Amino acid sequence: MADPTITEVAKSVADTQTALNIVWTILAGSLVMFMQAGFALVETGLTRAKNMAHTMGMNFFVYAIGIIGFYFVGFGLQMGGMGPMATFGNEEMLKAASEFTVHLFGKDFGLFGTSGFMLSPAIFTPAVATMFFFQMVFMDTTCTIPTGALAERWKFGHFVAFSFVIATILYPVYGNWVWGGGWLSQLGANFGLGHGHVDFAGSSVVHLTGGVIALVTSKILGPRIGKYSADGRVTPIPPHNVAYVLTGTFILAFGWFGFNAGSTLAGTDTQLAVAATNTMLASASGAFTAYVFTSWKFGKPDPSWLANGMLAGLVAITAPCAFVDPWAALLIGAISGVLVVVAALFIDSKLEIDDPVGAIAVHGVNGAFGVLALGLFANGKYGEGWNGVKGTVAGLFYGNGGQFVAEVIGLLANVLYIAPVAALSFWLIGKVVQMRPSPEEEIAGLDIPEMGVHGYTSEGGTQAIK
């Protein structure tokens, strides 16, 4: 018979560990929430002064839209069938049996959760509240990405409606497939492909999703007036405030430690230090190779390229940050710093898709690269039992080609789901809500027509529409 004193001590230790994990996760999620300020400054700085209130307004309001949409629908679809929350005391209020599945090839394929909607009192425990809080700020990052790509020519009402689609349908369904116990996470258990599609902190779930949405919607909305001449030549539209851009980038880099290290969901998991340090290394090498490449290509290092190089490094390391060695983190960041420039130029000049802030190149292209990098460089030192598969997570270069295949499948699944659903919903909303302002309003600037106030005035105040 167990000694009651020992049992009580063991329970006390377990409860303390759970409490510490909850505190760490809430703190990390708060850092991610503050990234909204970074996005607002970067996007506003990279666009024109005449649209300052409009661009800032989208970055501010998408936070509220995301919370409401995720509360009513998104959280349940994403995490409603996730099963026990290991770092939060193995609580199972979001039961695995609540995952909606289809049976194919003798295997179960989880598609979405069916519980957790509106955080009903029956399930609203501290563990569930923590999971909602943390997952919400990740989802809202995805919602924010298109606001930069579509800046300076997007009607605010259409932005509001479409952002609800991202928060309720687009992001949560793919998020379920990877993080909520869905079919991509089970590629290892079902088909022997490594540990299934692994994405530690969101290169595919958050950034690739946002980048794909930005790509298809930017194509539908069309370029800003004056961006392309009649003969197809690109007319550069310079940023209006480089100080905003660089300050915002530092805020994002700061918040990214919550993004990546926080994804342990456990203050008791010391691997969070590895994730944080690899994040720092990749951000630095991304900025540095962007400097070298742009100095060679253009003769001078435009600070906006340096900022996007750092952000590209952060995006690319987000998936593999806990699974790779420091030299690999540096290499991943270094590749991304060049990749973001090449991709942005290709998107701008060859595809003729106008992306004022480079969101597609930063988040979409480097989100894809990040999950592939995990499939290549994961070193087999961490991730014991990940997604229910014995052993640690190792990539192609460490003897597990199946892991790389799982990453490729997850990438393709993202594009094949997100692109058509985003395009269709964006277009359908446009049939009900005007998606683009008039040419006269766009040329004059969207602050007064859309928001009713100037972002800047010579008097230092604002002027409202009478």
Side-chain angles (χ1 to χ4, degrees), residues 148-191:
L150 303 176
E152 304 200 281
R153 76 267 196 215
W154 197 8
K155 291 283 286 185
F156 202 80
H158 192 279
F159 144 75
V160 171
F162 184 66
S163 294
F164 273 115
V165 173
I166 300 174
T168 57
I169 300 172
L170 285 170
Y171 176 92
V173 170
Y174 184 78
N176 173 271
W177 296 351
V178 181
W179 290 342
W183 69 276
L184 286 175
S185 69
Q186 298 305 303
L187 289 174
N190 284 340
F191 300 103

Side-chain angles (χ1 to χ4, degrees), residues 18-380:
T18 297
L20 175 60
N21 292 343
I22 287 175
V23 169
W24 163 245
T25 303
I26 293 294
L27 174 61
S30 300
L31 290 177
V32 178
M33 180 271 173
F34 189 56
M35 291 171 69
Q36 292 291 137
F39 276 115
L41 288 172
V42 169
E43 292 180 12
T44 301
L46 285 171
T47 52
R48 290 169 289 188
K50 64 182 180 180
N51 298 308
M52 187 269 199
H54 184 261
T55 306
M56 275 282 186
M58 289 194 296
N59 277 270
F60 173 82
F61 198 52
V62 77
Y63 177 66
I65 295 168
I67 292 171
I68 294 169
F70 205 58
Y71 167 79
F72 279 102
V73 179
F75 180 69
L77 289 180
Q78 182 182 344
M79 309 305 292
M82 69 173 297
M85 292 175 274
T87 59
F88 304 147
N90 278 315
E91 184 179 298
E92 197 179 0
M93 298 304 294
L94 302 169
K95 299 183 183 301
S98 296
E99 179 78 0
F100 180 86
T101 61
V102 294
H103 196 70
L104 297 172
F105 315 114
K107 309 291 183 181
D108 287 329
F109 288 72
L111 299 181
F112 53 85
T114 62
S115 68
F117 302 103
M118 294 185 286
L119 299 175
S120 66
I123 68 156
F124 192 54
T125 63
V128 172
T130 303
M131 185 61 70
F132 176 88
F133 183 92
F134 194 72
Q135 293 298 335
M136 200 299 299
V137 292
F138 273 54
M139 178 279 305
D140 219 52
T141 298
T142 299
C143 286
T144 304
I145 292 168
T147 65
L150 303 176
E152 304 200 281
R153 76 267 196 215
W154 197 8
K155 291 283 286 185
F156 202 80
H158 192 279
F159 144 75
V160 171
F162 184 66
S163 294
F164 273 115
V165 173
I166 300 174
T168 57
I169 300 172
L170 285 170
Y171 176 92
V173 170
Y174 184 78
N176 173 271
W177 296 351
V178 181
W179 290 342
W183 69 276
L184 286 175
S185 69
Q186 298 305 303
L187 289 174
N190 284 340
F191 300 103
L193 297 176
H195 285 69
H197 182 77
V198 176
D199 182 356
F200 188 73
S203 287
S204 65
V205 177
V206 176
H207 298 285
L208 178 60
T209 298
V212 170
I213 294 170
L215 174 68
V216 297
T217 55
S218 294
K219 186 65 176 179
I220 294 170
L221 193 61
R224 291 168 290 177
I225 294 172
K227 175 66 177 180
Y228 299 103
S229 64
D231 59 1
R233 286 181 298 174
V234 180
T235 303
I237 301 176
H240 93 274
N241 194 318
V242 173
Y244 280 9
V245 176
L246 298 185
T247 302
T249 301
F250 267 127
I251 291 173
L252 287 168
F254 173 69
W256 228 287
F257 295 122
F259 214 96
N260 287 4
S263 290
T264 58
L265 301 179
T268 54
D269 185 348
T270 56
Q271 194 74 5
L272 67 87
V274 171
T277 300
N278 281 339
T279 300
M280 177 181 284
L281 291 170
S283 70
S285 59
F288 191 81
T289 55
Y291 157 72
V292 172
F293 186 70
T294 54
S295 296
W296 167 76
K297 188 170 182 62
F298 305 120
K300 295 187 183 298
D302 182 334
S304 62
W305 283 122
L306 306 186
N308 273 350
M310 177 171 284
L311 294 176
L314 289 163
V315 169
I317 199 61
T318 293
C321 60
F323 302 105
V324 299
D325 291 319
W327 66 266
L330 276 171
L331 179 60
I332 291 167
I335 293 171
S336 67
V338 176
L339 183 60
V340 70
V341 180
V342 174
L345 295 174
F346 179 80
I347 292 164
D348 197 39
S349 60
K350 301 300 182 183
L351 299 183
E352 294 191 355
I353 294 176
D354 183 16
D355 179 356
V357 305
I360 301 167
V362 170
H363 300 279
V365 173
N366 281 284
F369 172 57
V371 290
L372 296 179
L374 186 153
L376 295 172
F377 295 106
N379 57 21

